[in-house]
Amino acid sequence: RGGKMAATLACIHGRCRVCSPRGGSNFDRAAKRARVFAITKGFRGRINNVYTVAVRAAERAKAYSYIGRKLKKRDFRKLWIQRINFGVREHGINYSNFISTLAQNDIQLNRKVLSELAIHEPRSFKALTDFTKQRMEEANLGLKLLSIN
């Protein structure tokens, strides 16, 4: 008992399990439950106020949110590609040729920026498509010259 008393005197807060003569407070348990209920706030039924059910719902919610963050990136990339594809087809090029020509000529615009250009800056986007058309024609001319020789 003397050891615990000495530890209690050295402890500032008196709440930790090592220092407290009665084994610690219920603070950790209450905080843990509060974190779980904060996650399940707004859920319907027993899920938001019965701890054992809320724990499972909170874990499932965290898993879904993790998966959702990955799916969000995938969905936006798909959307950007569709917008770019629609924009370049209006100018008579297909998507794969457009992207590959931009990459070959070291034009480093990502798909998000290209889709924004296609929607909000059609003249700038047309300049890019004209540039890629010109480069594709130059490449085709070079191939024709090589095949003749």
Side-chain angles (χ1 to χ4, degrees):
R1 218 174 143 104
K4 279 196 174 184
M5 211 41 123
T8 306
L9 293 174
C11 179
I12 297 170
H13 49 75
R15 283 191 313 227
C16 68
R17 292 181 185 148
V18 176
C19 312
S20 176
R22 293 192 182 130
S25 69
N26 229 1
F27 179 75
D28 294 339
R29 181 173 177 264
K32 188 169 101 173
R33 292 170 70 91
R35 278 196 301 269
V36 171
F37 287 135
I39 292 170
T40 60
K41 181 180 177 183
F43 290 12
R44 294 176 64 124
R46 290 190 311 161
I47 286 178
N48 71 349
N49 58 12
V50 176
Y51 181 72
T52 54
V53 181
V55 167
R56 288 188 296 243
E59 287 177 2
R60 198 163 50 244
K62 285 182 177 180
Y64 284 139
S65 67
Y66 177 81
I67 293 166
R69 288 192 296 272
K70 308 303 173 201
L71 292 175
K72 180 180 175 183
K73 293 171 181 63
R74 189 184 307 169
D75 291 342
F76 269 106
R77 184 179 168 92
K78 278 186 196 175
L79 176 68
W80 298 330
I81 288 172
Q82 288 172 356
R83 288 175 175 175
I84 295 167
N85 192 15
F86 183 75
V88 296
R89 285 188 186 275
E90 285 183 338
H91 298 290
I93 312 172
N94 65 12
Y95 173 80
S96 62
N97 287 339
F98 178 72
I99 292 294
S100 65
T101 307
L102 290 179
Q104 288 168 1
N105 291 293
D106 202 29
I107 297 175
Q108 297 177 350
L109 293 173
N110 61 18
R111 286 164 179 80
K112 179 180 178 181
V113 172
L114 287 171
S115 73
E116 292 294 320
L117 284 175
I119 294 169
H120 301 296
E121 296 285 336
R123 289 184 181 150
S124 303
F125 192 74
K126 185 178 183 326
L128 281 172
T129 56
D130 291 343
F131 173 79
T132 54
K133 276 184 187 176
Q134 179 186 0
R135 292 297 174 143
M136 286 168 46
E137 288 170 4
E138 290 172 2
N140 287 339
L141 183 64
L143 288 175
K144 286 180 184 176
L145 290 176
L146 286 175
S147 65
I148 292 172
N149 294 334

